[in-house]
Amino acid sequence: MTISIANLQPIVAILAGVLILIMPRLLNYIVAAYLIVIGLIGLGIFR
């Protein structure tokens, strides 16, 4: 798999979501879940 500009934003969203999960607060969980889902949709794993 080659990483292009189109794939970069979802990858960053997934990484940001995982990092936010490390510092748990309720808002952080909500934002992390949102970022992970958007990242997976952006990579085409979910439609």
Side-chain angles (χ1 to χ4, degrees):
M1 175 180 166
T2 59
I3 297 176
S4 66
I5 297 298
N7 291 341
L8 187 60
Q9 184 176 6
I11 292 171
V12 170
I14 291 172
L15 291 176
V18 170
L19 289 175
I20 289 173
L21 279 174
I22 293 172
M23 304 174 129
R25 291 187 186 254
L26 183 59
L27 180 59
N28 288 346
Y29 282 123
I30 294 169
V31 173
Y34 171 79
L35 289 173
I36 291 170
V37 168
I38 294 300
L40 292 174
I41 290 171
L43 287 175
I45 296 173
F46 295 121
R47 293 178 188 248

